Amino acid sequence: MTIMSPAPRIYLAGPEVFLPDPLAAGDAKRRLCQAHGFTGVFPMDASLDLTGLAAAEKALRIGRANEALIRDCDLLIAHLTPFRGVSADAGTAYELGYARALGRRVFGYTNLTADYRTRAAGFRATKGQWPDHGDTVAVEMEDFGLAENLMLDTAISDSGGVLVRTEVTAGTELTDLVGFIECLRQAAAVMGLVTKC
C-alpha cells in the first residue's frame, strides 16, 4: 500500500486581502496551487469570530492567526508588487520575514520590473526628499538593482527561493498572476513535485 504524503502547504502572503473581492483572489491562487501540487493557504483562511471586539483586539487576533497559518505551512509566496507606496505591503514584508525566520523557503513576485531605487527616485522627484538626508544616503542604500529592499530580496535568495519580476498591463498590477504562476513552477521544481500544468 502506498501512503500519499500531503501536498506541501504554501502561505499566500500579499495585499490581495485589501482587494474588493479578497476571497475570490484567494480562491484563484488556491486553484493554481493545487494544479502545481501544493495546498494554498490564504491569510483569511483562519476562522475568527471578531464580533464585539475592540479594534486593537481584532488586530491582535488577526496577526496571531496569520502567524499560526505561516507556522503551519512549508513555504511562502509573497506578492511584493508595490502597494500604497514605492514598496511592498508592510504586512506582507513582515510575513515574509517571519517565514524566513522559521526556516521556511520563501518566494516572491512583483508585477513591476523597475528596481527599488528607480521607484524611490521617482517618488522623490514628485514628492520631495525623504527625511534621510537626501539622495546621497538613498543612492548608497538603494542602488543594488534589486526589486525590493535588500532584506526582502536576500531573504528570498538565501532561503533557496526566487523573486520573479514581470511587467503586466497597467491597471492589473495587483491582480495579474503570471509572476505567481512562475513562483509555483519554480517551487514545484525545487521540491520535485509533479504538476498538472
Side-chain angles (χ1 to χ4, degrees):
M1 179 169 106
T2 303
I3 298 175
M4 299 291 290
S5 52
R9 293 166 55 85
I10 299 179
Y11 184 82
L12 307 173
E16 286 83 2
V17 295
F18 300 109
L19 293 178
D21 192 348
L23 296 179
D27 287 344
K29 283 189 160 185
R30 274 194 286 267
R31 285 191 297 274
L32 289 167
C33 287
Q34 186 174 18
H36 286 83
F38 296 102
T39 297
V41 178
F42 195 59
M44 297 175 85
D45 285 351
S47 298
L48 295 175
D49 182 4
L50 304 176
T51 308
L53 297 178
E57 182 63 24
K58 287 180 185 178
L60 186 62
R61 292 199 187 185
I62 291 168
R64 287 176 177 167
N66 288 351
E67 287 181 350
L69 290 174
I70 293 168
R71 287 193 301 273
D72 197 38
C73 286
D74 303 292
L75 59 155
L76 176 145
I77 294 179
H79 181 182
L80 298 173
T81 299
F83 182 71
R84 297 177 178 162
V86 299
S87 195
D89 168 56
T92 301
Y94 171 81
E95 291 174 334
L96 187 159
Y98 187 75
R100 175 72 178 119
L102 292 171
R104 306 296 193 265
R105 190 180 309 263
V106 292
F107 294 77
Y109 71 99
T110 177
N111 288 329
L112 292 180
T113 55
D115 64 35
Y116 182 68
R117 183 190 184 283
T118 300
R119 296 194 317 267
F123 181 87
R124 281 192 293 276
T126 59
K127 303 291 185 185
Q129 298 297 327
W130 297 112
D132 66 2
H133 309 294
D135 284 330
T136 302
V137 173
V139 168
E140 292 173 4
M141 295 305 294
E142 299 167 0
D143 198 12
F144 300 107
L146 301 175
E148 262 300 333
N149 176 278
L150 69 92
M151 295 303 290
L152 301 182
D153 265 78
T154 59
I156 291 169
S157 61
D158 278 354
S159 80
V162 296
L163 199 161
V164 176
R165 294 191 210 187
T166 57
E167 195 71 37
V168 300
T169 305
T172 67
E173 293 88 354
L174 292 178
T175 56
D176 191 290
L177 295 175
V178 171
F180 177 69
I181 292 168
E182 182 57 26
C183 282
L184 287 171
R185 287 183 184 138
Q186 296 275 347
V190 165
M191 299 187 81
L193 300 179
V194 177
T195 71
K196 298 176 187 174
C197 297

